[in-house]
Amino acid sequence: MEKFLSQIPDNFYHFLIVTVFSLIIGLSQRKLHPINEDSRLFGTDRTFTFIGILGYILFIVEPVPHFFYMGGGVIISIFLGINYFFKLRYFKDFGLTTVIIAIITYCMAPLVITQPPWFYIMVVVTVLVFTELKETFSTLTQRFDKEEFLTLAKFLLIAGIILPIVPNEPFVSFLSLTPYKIWLAVVVISSISYLSYLLKKFVFIKSGIIISGILGGLYSSTATTIILAKKSRETTALKNNYAAAIVFATSMMYLRVLILILIFNMELFQLVLPYFLVMLVVSIATGIVIFYYKKKVDEVSEISLLRDKNPLEFKVALIFMLLFVGFTFLTYYTVQYFGTGGLNTLSIVVGVTDIDPFLINLFQGKYPVSLGVIAFASMQAIISNNVLKLIYGLAFSGKHIRKPLLAGFGVIIFINAALLLIMYLTM
């Protein structure tokens, strides 16, 4: 096959590629506009094909500096400008999409000749996708409120501007804590929270209890547990749904922590992956069993519970940074003066707070303890946090979901403790 392809002249191959891709782009324009709109268009399938062919001919007939090609581009732009002027004058059509796509089609020749195949194919695919998604984007923008772009700007600010410029020098000589590591932890947690927020707001718009639990677990399984437990008191129906959603939120905690380990400590990730996969499967399976156990036929109505809350509030980031720095110093002195036993005790106590700052600190900190000790402490913190969520669930929920909730968390905590024992005996 390679021998056959090598015998095909480059000009023939490039001409064929440019022609086919230009035709495909033109066909996409034909499909996008109804037949009765053809009179106001610059052109569609054949016109775009000829634009691509013209660009190819003018690009190859004269080598650098390609004056013919540039002149052809100017002429095409003039015709496009005249067409756009009359569209504005007679049809009040302000759309520039067809004009821009025609110019991109004219640029296909140099792309095909000078760039690798993956690049010009990506350009064509992007043009086709964005052309077809016109109505989707129109619908999507209607869901944006006035704060939406501000939220996006905040995310771009903390991830794309602040992170690259903060220094990576330690605060103190005895710790590896740097402004860059602190802000990187904020960016990672904000990214996961922002992803959960976007899924809830734009993908699962009318999500029910179960989806709310899953997406909320990516953000904060503890907060989601409290919200769902309180909501369950408003109705005696859907007890399976509420209890299962709380368990699913906890399963997403295992996924979130596993992602954090993957980002901050690859060696630790390879060590704990089997344990976390088991807990992820067990927690999901437990949620499924609870959801379908003695489920009533009419138990199908769900309501969206979790409000679309901005996950990038400044005070939230500030609290996270303070907790992260505090846990860094606390962990250092605990290991320094009390050793492994002190770290294990601290991990249990930390379970009653937000465990993410403590865990990220463990994952990327350079402490004089083995990976096994860090893995053990992480699992203990998770178990402690699960116990806390069980207490919250029982305290805030209605009586009708306490039994399945207790059973679900009982299974999760028992299996987690068994894995912790296995980890202790094998490490």
Side-chain angles (χ1 to χ4, degrees):
M1 184 66 178
E2 293 181 1
K3 184 178 180 181
F4 173 75
L5 292 176
S6 64
Q7 295 176 350
I8 300 177
D10 287 342
N11 282 348
F12 175 80
Y13 172 75
H14 291 155
F15 175 80
L16 184 63
I17 293 296
V18 170
T19 302
V20 170
F21 282 163
S22 301
L23 176 60
I24 291 174
I25 292 174
L27 289 172
S28 71
Q29 291 298 300
R30 170 74 72 181
K31 177 180 178 297
L32 186 65
H33 297 279
I35 297 177
N36 57 4
E37 288 187 4
D38 281 357
S39 59
R40 69 178 70 178
L41 294 178
F42 181 80
T44 52
D45 40 24
R46 291 182 304 167
T47 307
F48 277 78
T49 305
F50 291 145
I51 289 174
I53 292 175
L54 177 64
Y56 180 77
I57 293 172
L58 295 179
F59 189 80
I60 66 171
V61 294
E62 180 202 20
V64 177
H66 298 295
F67 285 127
F68 282 0
Y69 178 76
M70 289 187 288
V74 171
I75 293 173
I76 291 292
S77 298
I78 291 173
F79 278 112
L80 289 170
I82 294 172
N83 174 259
Y84 184 68
F85 171 77
F86 282 101
K87 280 176 59 179
L88 287 176
R89 183 172 181 178
Y90 293 107
F91 300 107
K92 305 300 181 182
D93 186 353
F94 295 88
L96 267 174
T97 303
T98 303
V99 174
I100 299 299
I101 293 177
I103 297 174
I104 293 174
T105 304
Y106 184 75
C107 295
M108 283 305 303
L111 286 178
V112 170
I113 294 173
T114 64
Q115 300 301 313
W118 66 266
F119 181 76
Y120 59 74
I121 292 175
M122 181 179 67
V123 171
V124 174
V125 169
T126 303
V127 170
L128 295 176
V129 169
F130 277 81
T131 299
E132 291 294 326
L133 290 180
K134 178 181 179 181
E135 294 183 2
T136 303
F137 286 134
S138 299
T139 304
L140 186 64
T141 54
Q142 294 176 2
R143 299 174 190 163
F144 278 74
D145 54 39
K146 62 181 181 180
E147 300 292 333
E148 210 59 56
F149 287 103
L150 181 60
T151 301
L152 177 59
K154 288 179 182 178
F155 178 74
L156 295 176
L157 175 66
I158 66 173
I161 298 178
I162 297 179
L163 181 63
I165 65 176
V166 293
N168 199 20
E169 299 297 326
F171 284 127
V172 290
S173 59
F174 56 87
L175 280 178
S176 61
L177 184 66
T178 68
Y180 180 84
K181 287 186 176 181
I182 296 173
W183 201 253
L184 178 61
V186 173
V187 169
V188 171
I189 290 296
S190 298
S191 299
I192 297 175
S193 301
Y194 192 45
L195 174 62
S196 172
Y197 169 77
L198 292 177
L199 289 174
K200 177 68 174 64
K201 189 172 183 67
F202 297 107
V203 180
F204 303 100
I205 305 166
K206 297 181 180 180
S207 58
I209 299 170
I210 299 299
I211 299 299
S212 295
I214 293 172
L215 297 179
L218 287 174
Y219 177 73
S220 171
S221 57
T222 304
T224 303
T225 297
I226 294 174
I227 293 173
L228 291 172
K230 288 182 177 180
K231 284 290 183 179
S232 70
R233 305 180 71 168
E234 298 176 3
T235 176
T236 57
L238 305 173
K239 67 175 183 178
N240 291 21
N241 301 44
Y242 281 106
I246 292 174
V247 171
F248 283 132
T250 294
S251 70
M252 290 301 101
M253 175 201 64
Y254 286 103
L255 178 61
R256 185 180 75 250
V257 173
L258 190 60
I259 293 173
L260 295 177
I261 298 175
L262 175 62
I263 293 172
F264 291 108
N265 197 322
M266 179 56 72
E267 293 183 36
L268 181 63
F269 176 80
Q270 295 172 348
L271 180 64
V272 303
L273 180 60
Y275 299 95
F276 274 80
L277 287 180
V278 170
M279 288 311 308
L280 187 60
V281 171
V282 167
S283 55
I284 292 176
T286 303
I288 293 174
V289 171
I290 292 175
F291 181 74
Y292 285 105
Y293 181 73
K294 292 184 179 180
K295 192 173 182 66
K296 297 179 181 179
V297 177
D298 60 346
E299 197 169 298
V300 294
S301 175
E302 292 194 359
I303 55 174
S304 181
L305 298 171
L306 302 181
R307 292 178 295 176
D308 299 324
K309 184 180 179 182
N310 178 6
L312 302 176
E313 295 179 358
F314 177 76
K315 63 179 181 181
V316 175
L318 180 62
I319 293 172
F320 182 89
M321 285 191 295
L322 293 176
L323 287 174
F324 183 82
V325 174
F327 279 129
T328 301
F329 281 94
L330 182 59
T331 303
Y332 172 79
Y333 285 112
T334 299
V335 173
Q336 192 75 14
Y337 291 102
F338 301 102
T340 302
L343 180 60
N344 290 332
T345 303
L346 178 62
S347 65
I348 296 174
V349 175
V350 164
V352 301
T353 66
D354 183 0
I355 62 173
D356 286 340
F358 172 74
L359 292 179
I360 295 177
N361 164 58
L362 272 185
F363 300 155
Q364 67 171 341
K366 304 295 183 182
Y367 300 106
V369 293
S370 65
L371 284 177
V373 171
I374 295 176
F376 192 83
S378 301
M379 291 289 278
Q380 281 194 148
I382 291 173
I383 293 176
S384 177
N385 189 250
N386 283 340
V387 172
L388 177 70
K389 283 182 289 189
L390 173 60
I391 294 174
Y392 282 151
L394 296 177
F396 293 114
S397 66
K399 294 181 180 180
H400 54 291
I401 78 162
R402 291 175 183 172
K403 187 175 180 179
L405 200 60
L406 182 61
F409 270 98
V411 171
I412 293 174
I413 293 172
F414 175 79
I415 299 297
N416 207 334
L419 290 176
L420 187 66
L421 178 61
I422 294 174
M423 183 182 293
Y424 176 77
L425 296 175
T426 56
M427 292 184 180

